[in-house]
Amino acid sequence: MDNTMPILLVPGLVSSPRIFAPVVPALWRFGPVTVANHIRDDHMGAIARRILAEAPPRFALAGHSMGGYIAFEIMRQAPDRVAKLALINTQARADTPEASERRRGMLARARSGDFRGVLDELFPGFVHPSRRGDAGLRQLVHDMGDDVGVEGFIRQQTAVISRPDSRPTLAWIKCPTLVLTGDEDHTIPNSLSVEMANGIPGAKLVILPNCGHLPQPEQPQATANALVEWLRN
């Protein structure tokens, strides 16, 4: 009897399928793995609708960073289709006015031709402080920026700015849920992961040591182990 479950992975802001490459080999034993395309629309509702239209009837859903915001929207639109939920280095809160203003500044710079400069500005907050000199991780961020492109980045940031506050809906999540974060995430502090885990009934919280905002390439084995346990249980 086939007990496999399709697995749908949703990358974060200015991230592409490359971000999940270190952990996919550990996941595909549990079912077919798909990485969602989240660069085609500029509103969370539209992004989620398009992903759902292309997704299997029922699936395990893992969202990283912005992918977590999309996962919350998928849960609002089609909760019965999500068998398991993993929220990776993300948060349930809406943007603050200050964060939105920073995003608008990045949008203006990207439009004016300084997209690479925006990526370099984001990089130190993406990784553990000990990895800020890691040329491989910096190249990964540049490569994913090339994958997403300036227009895709603009659509993503526009969607992120207008996203709703998902905290009121945390208690509605009934499927098995993993909340995964790094001990030194300087983009989305892990206190916001603790907040999500406390708000979702039965959620399991995992905080990875020596890890920033990109656990898949920073701590691939520990990240894969946590996701495998989530899929098994």
Side-chain angles (χ1 to χ4, degrees), residues 17-145:
R18 297 175 196 261
I19 194 67
F20 284 107
V23 300
V24 166
L27 306 184
W28 72 270
R29 291 174 290 144
F30 297 91
V33 180
T34 303
V35 181
N37 183 332
H38 64 331
I39 67 172
R40 298 169 290 178
D41 300 284
D42 63 2
H43 186 272
M44 287 295 167
I47 295 171
R49 280 191 294 275
R50 198 192 294 246
I51 290 173
L52 282 164
E54 298 169 348
R58 190 164 162 81
F59 49 88
L61 174 64
H64 173 229
S65 192
M66 176 190 177
Y69 311 154
I70 297 166
F72 283 129
E73 185 61 34
I74 288 172
M75 292 298 297
R76 280 189 285 272
Q77 292 187 20
D80 293 341
R81 292 179 61 184
V82 180
K84 296 172 180 280
L85 176 65
L87 299 165
I88 304 170
N89 292 73
T90 189
Q91 63 174 318
R93 298 185 177 205
D95 237 22
T96 64
E98 295 79 13
S100 294
E101 190 59 31
R102 285 196 300 274
R103 293 186 198 282
R104 292 187 184 100
M106 285 187 268
L107 290 178
R109 288 173 59 194
R111 286 190 181 103
S112 70
D114 190 28
F115 186 38
R116 182 58 61 91
V118 170
L119 297 177
D120 284 333
E121 182 179 301
L122 288 168
F123 179 76
F126 277 170
V127 297
H128 187 273
S130 67
R131 307 293 291 274
R132 287 175 181 165
D134 189 318
L137 282 175
R138 186 179 292 272
Q139 187 63 50
L140 172 64
V141 170
H142 286 168
D143 289 343
M144 292 195 299

Side-chain angles (χ1 to χ4, degrees), residues 61 68-87 90-92 165-179 193 195-204 230:
L61 174 64
Y69 311 154
I70 297 166
F72 283 129
E73 185 61 34
I74 288 172
M75 292 298 297
R76 280 189 285 272
Q77 292 187 20
D80 293 341
R81 292 179 61 184
V82 180
K84 296 172 180 280
L85 176 65
L87 299 165
T90 189
Q91 63 174 318
D165 189 337
S166 293
R167 286 175 294 175
T169 62
L170 292 178
W172 301 353
I173 298 173
K174 304 303 182 186
C175 63
T177 301
L178 167 68
V179 178
S193 289
E195 178 181 70
M196 288 190 301
N198 288 339
I200 298 171
K204 178 178 181 179
W230 164 69

Side-chain angles (χ1 to χ4, degrees), residues 191-232:
S191 60
L192 299 178
S193 289
V194 174
E195 178 181 70
M196 288 190 301
N198 288 339
I200 298 171
K204 178 178 181 179
L205 175 67
V206 175
I207 301 177
L208 301 180
N210 302 310
C211 187
H213 188 62
L214 307 179
Q216 305 95 317
E218 289 187 78
Q219 295 292 346
Q221 190 61 58
T223 303
N225 290 346
L227 290 170
V228 164
E229 183 178 351
W230 164 69
L231 289 168
R232 277 185 175 147

